[in-house]
Amino acid sequence: MKEIILNEKTYAENLIEQYSLGKDEYVSICILAKYWRALGMRKQQIRRRVEEHILRSKPYAQMFRYTDMIDKAIDLSKKWPMLEIDFVNITEAELNRIASLEQMQARQLAFTMLCLAKYRNAVNPKSDGWIGTPQADVYKLANIFGSFDKRAEIQRMVYDAGMIEWPRRADSENVKVQICEFAGDPALKIRDFRNLGYQYRQFCGEPYFSCIECGLVVRKNSNRMKYCHDCATEINRQKARERWFQLA
């Protein structure tokens, strides 16, 4: 699943500062290409900067493996300008509409689809509520798991409530969100598009928290939890290395 980055300028600056290619190298290279194009650089200058960044991040990288990726990223940087979205605004009226659904997983799905629709509108104001995201990715963002029939049943609840519209083409996964409001004060500001379903549960007062290292919202299984699983594993690994060097 392609990672959704709201503020690409900040993301690019962090990549450059940390000599990093992020979790998704292709997404990172595309954003870096847009960043340097926004600074007025031309194709060859962008290519040189991207290649230099890759070698700083991965000194032993085989650059021929990145040739097509860099070419595509540079071409796309002409078509799509750099995004600088601070947050996606969710209004109180939208939240109240979602809360009218009886089943929590249906609310998670409706909330996730709403966030995606408002993000798409920020990218392309002509999107008209269509989210254009593969269904498997939508369910993953909504933190909804289970069989195909179970997920279809949950989406049917949202549809029956008049919150979404299905496409006319039977083979299309596109969905139109009907509850978007693009005016009004924000009741909730979404700055991170990971685990949107858990973010909704956190908003509802359930025991979820943001990892203090990476910001990912996860379930809180004890009052001592400060980190998500991945960050906790990495921190424990770093501590183990430090103890080993102290004993060596």
Side-chain angles (χ1 to χ4, degrees):
M1 181 177 69
K2 181 181 176 181
E3 187 177 5
I4 295 176
I5 308 296
L6 296 182
N7 194 319
E8 294 179 340
K9 180 180 180 181
T10 300
Y11 186 80
E13 289 172 345
N14 288 337
L15 291 176
I16 294 167
E17 181 181 348
Q18 299 167 11
Y19 300 125
S20 172
L21 283 174
K23 290 186 177 180
D24 188 322
E25 291 186 346
Y26 176 65
V27 170
S28 296
I29 288 171
C30 285
I31 291 174
L32 287 169
K34 289 197 280 186
Y35 176 78
W36 280 312
R37 185 174 290 280
L39 293 179
M41 295 186 187
R42 297 184 179 276
K43 183 174 182 178
Q44 291 306 317
Q45 293 173 303
I46 296 171
R47 174 180 297 283
R48 186 166 62 252
R49 287 296 187 97
V50 171
E51 290 175 347
E52 288 173 354
H53 183 81
I54 292 172
L55 288 172
R56 286 194 183 101
S57 305
K58 303 174 70 175
Y60 300 104
Q62 296 176 310
M63 292 306 299
F64 70 90
R65 297 183 181 275
Y66 290 91
T67 301
D68 292 342
M69 191 183 297
I70 295 171
D71 288 340
K72 188 174 181 180
I74 293 173
D75 289 341
L76 287 174
S77 70
K78 297 179 185 178
K79 183 179 179 181
W80 300 108
M82 186 167 57
L83 294 177
E84 294 185 66
I85 305 170
D86 292 326
F87 58 86
V88 167
N89 169 23
I90 307 299
T91 67
E92 185 174 355
E94 290 167 335
L95 290 169
N96 288 339
R97 186 76 186 276
I98 290 170
S100 68
L101 292 164
E102 292 185 7
Q103 220 247 34
M104 174 54 81
Q105 287 190 317
R107 293 183 212 165
Q108 288 175 231
L109 182 60
F111 178 77
T112 299
M113 288 180 167
L114 174 63
C115 291
L116 288 168
K118 301 196 86 170
Y119 165 74
R120 297 298 176 199
N121 181 76
V123 175
N124 178 13
K126 296 181 180 180
S127 61
D128 195 29
W130 293 95
I131 62 176
T133 304
Q135 290 294 300
D137 292 347
V138 174
Y139 288 117
K140 185 174 182 179
L141 289 170
N143 305 109
I144 294 174
F145 311 101
S147 67
F148 174 84
D149 290 343
K150 177 64 176 177
R151 289 180 293 175
E153 179 185 346
I154 293 168
Q155 187 172 141
R156 183 77 198 191
M157 294 177 192
V158 181
Y159 175 82
D160 288 343
M163 297 186 187
I164 59 173
E165 175 186 328
W166 287 329
R168 294 179 181 179
R169 285 177 49 189
D171 61 342
S172 175
E173 291 189 300
N174 207 354
V175 171
K176 183 177 182 179
V177 179
Q178 304 277 51
I179 60 172
C180 295
E181 291 193 359
F182 299 106
D185 296 330
L188 183 61
K189 297 178 180 179
I190 302 300
R191 293 183 169 87
D192 188 337
F193 267 65
R194 298 171 299 168
N195 286 2
L196 287 169
Y198 289 164
Q199 288 188 56
Y200 181 75
R201 283 179 173 263
Q202 183 186 33
F203 171 78
C204 292
E206 294 193 17
Y208 290 82
F209 76 103
S210 299
C211 171
I212 64 172
E213 184 71 18
C214 72
L216 183 69
V217 174
V218 294
R219 184 170 181 83
K220 193 169 189 175
N221 295 320
S222 74
N223 290 330
R224 297 178 58 191
M225 284 187 69
K226 296 181 180 179
Y227 305 100
C228 67
H229 178 268
D230 288 348
C231 288
T233 301
E234 180 59 28
I235 288 169
N236 288 334
R237 188 180 293 119
Q238 289 176 0
K239 289 180 178 179
R241 282 197 295 263
E242 290 170 3
R243 288 194 298 268
W244 187 86
F245 281 118
Q246 288 173 357
L247 293 172

